[in-house]
Amino acid sequence: MDSASVAIGRPAPWLESLSRSLRGGLKGGEYTWAVAFVVPYLAVFVTFVAYPVVYGLWMGSDPSLYPQLFADPVYQSTVVNTVLYLALGVNVKMFLALLLSGFFMRPGRWMKALLLLFVLPWAVPQISAFISIHWMLNGEWGFLNNALYSLFHIEGPFWLNDRWSALGAVIASHIWKWTPFWTLILLAGRMAIPLEIRDTARVDGATGVRGFVHITFPLLANLYLISTLLSTIFLLGDFNAVYFVSGGGPADSTHVLATIGIRDAFDLAQPRLGVAAVMSALPLVIPLVLVLMRKLRTTEVQL
């Protein structure tokens, strides 16, 4: 048998290399068990992640959808709402979380108990919390207006019947719900700062505001930036706060990009337009994700 026939009978070198890389150091039955465990997860990923994403991109790929979408006055107000939602919801929430993380660094058992109470809004399920806020803001017999009348004899406004007060209620609800979570993240970052650095700063007189500006915040800056990027990405997809607090009302004036797609797809029975509305956020989401991945890859979170 000559060398040509042997070469024909053997797989190509690149196939052998690919097979070795896929197998790693596994042989025989180990490789079989590895495949048996991986296949179900791969099937779930393809079915519930890859396929919906690809199908959604296909549904929103028709260029004629976007002139129709941009001409919709509800969509135009939705873009303004989304910008305000992001600007206030993210920055106010992260600033409060930064301040509160310093507050909860104080020693004492009472501080631990207070932290436990503070975390409760985040621990409560979102839907029930936001539905409760919706009914608390009812203009006729909501808890807030009843409390104002009972304590101060003031007739409260119809909070959810005005665009700006309803949008403010949505933003406040989101901040109330998620500030505890980011406070815990930044608190963990503060606690990870070595005691030697803090003690040296105290000896050098870097206490209070000076210590925060020159020691604490520079060490937390990367963590704070990454948390802000993640919070922005999460908030862009936040559906629950708007839907269950204001319902997008009054008159579709408080929708954000995460809810306008549901309105177009189901209320207007135009699923392709709904997907296009959601996809219009991609020019903002993709750069945020790229910046986040680059930050995580090239920069260590200094703690």
Side-chain angles (χ1 to χ4, degrees), residues 57-102:
L57 291 174
W58 173 77
M59 289 183 66
S61 62
D62 186 357
S64 64
L65 293 171
Y66 294 92
Q68 179 184 355
L69 181 67
F70 297 151
D72 184 3
V74 175
Y75 177 81
Q76 296 170 13
S77 66
T78 294
V79 173
V80 176
N81 295 340
T82 304
V83 171
L84 291 174
Y85 196 26
L86 290 174
L88 296 175
V90 172
N91 291 293
V92 173
K93 174 181 60 183
M94 296 305 302
F95 181 71
L96 288 176
L98 181 62
L99 296 181
L100 289 168
S101 65

Side-chain angles (χ1 to χ4, degrees), residues 162-175:
D162 175 75
R163 175 188 179 184
W164 300 114
S165 63
L167 184 61
V170 169
I171 295 173
S173 300
H174 174 83
I175 293 172

Side-chain angles (χ1 to χ4, degrees), residues 7-265:
I8 293 174
R10 294 179 57 187
W14 68 271
L15 286 176
E16 293 182 352
S17 176
L18 178 62
S19 176
R20 285 195 299 268
S21 63
L22 289 176
R23 285 178 175 270
L26 301 178
K27 298 180 180 179
E30 293 179 345
Y31 181 74
T32 303
W33 277 107
V35 171
F37 279 108
V38 168
V39 167
Y41 292 101
L42 184 62
V44 170
F45 176 80
V46 171
T47 304
F48 295 103
V49 178
Y51 173 74
V53 169
V54 173
Y55 186 66
L57 291 174
W58 173 77
M59 289 183 66
S61 62
D62 186 357
S64 64
L65 293 171
Y66 294 92
Q68 179 184 355
L69 181 67
F70 297 151
D72 184 3
V74 175
Y75 177 81
Q76 296 170 13
S77 66
T78 294
V79 173
V80 176
N81 295 340
T82 304
V83 171
L84 291 174
Y85 196 26
L86 290 174
L88 296 175
V90 172
N91 291 293
V92 173
K93 174 181 60 183
M94 296 305 302
F95 181 71
L96 288 176
L98 181 62
L99 296 181
L100 289 168
S101 65
F103 173 76
F104 287 114
M105 279 290 291
R106 298 180 179 182
R109 293 183 179 179
W110 67 274
M111 188 60 66
K112 294 180 180 179
L114 188 61
L115 178 61
L116 179 62
L117 293 175
F118 176 73
V119 172
L120 284 179
W122 172 61
V124 173
Q126 292 189 57
I127 295 177
S128 58
F130 291 141
I131 290 176
S132 298
I133 293 173
H134 172 84
W135 291 115
M136 287 172 61
L137 296 176
N138 184 277
E140 294 182 2
W141 37 266
F143 172 80
L144 183 57
N145 280 1
N146 283 336
L148 288 175
Y149 185 80
S150 300
L151 296 175
F152 307 105
H153 298 286
I154 298 174
E155 293 287 347
F158 288 83
W159 302 96
L160 301 179
N161 288 3
D162 175 75
R163 175 188 179 184
W164 300 114
S165 63
L167 184 61
V170 169
I171 295 173
S173 300
H174 174 83
I175 293 172
W176 169 82
K177 176 67 180 174
W178 288 103
T179 296
F181 173 77
W182 296 109
T183 299
L184 289 178
I185 297 297
L186 296 177
L187 177 61
R190 283 178 179 266
M191 295 176 68
I193 297 175
L195 289 174
E196 295 80 4
I197 296 178
R198 286 184 265 174
D199 293 339
T200 303
R202 291 193 187 98
V203 171
D204 293 339
T207 58
V209 176
R210 289 185 59 192
F212 174 78
V213 172
H214 296 288
I215 304 297
T216 304
F217 188 73
L219 293 174
L220 288 178
N222 289 324
L223 177 62
Y224 186 85
L225 175 59
I226 291 172
S227 298
T228 301
L229 291 172
L230 281 172
S231 177
T232 304
I233 295 171
F234 293 161
L235 188 54
L236 267 173
D238 183 26
F239 168 84
N240 293 329
V242 177
Y243 189 81
F244 291 106
V245 173
S246 70
D252 292 331
S253 62
T254 59
H255 277 297
V256 294
L257 291 178
T259 58
I260 190 68
I262 302 298
R263 173 252 190 186
D264 291 342

Side-chain angles (χ1 to χ4, degrees), residues 1-10:
M1 182 180 294
D2 57 7
S3 59
S5 60
V6 172
I8 293 174
R10 294 179 57 187

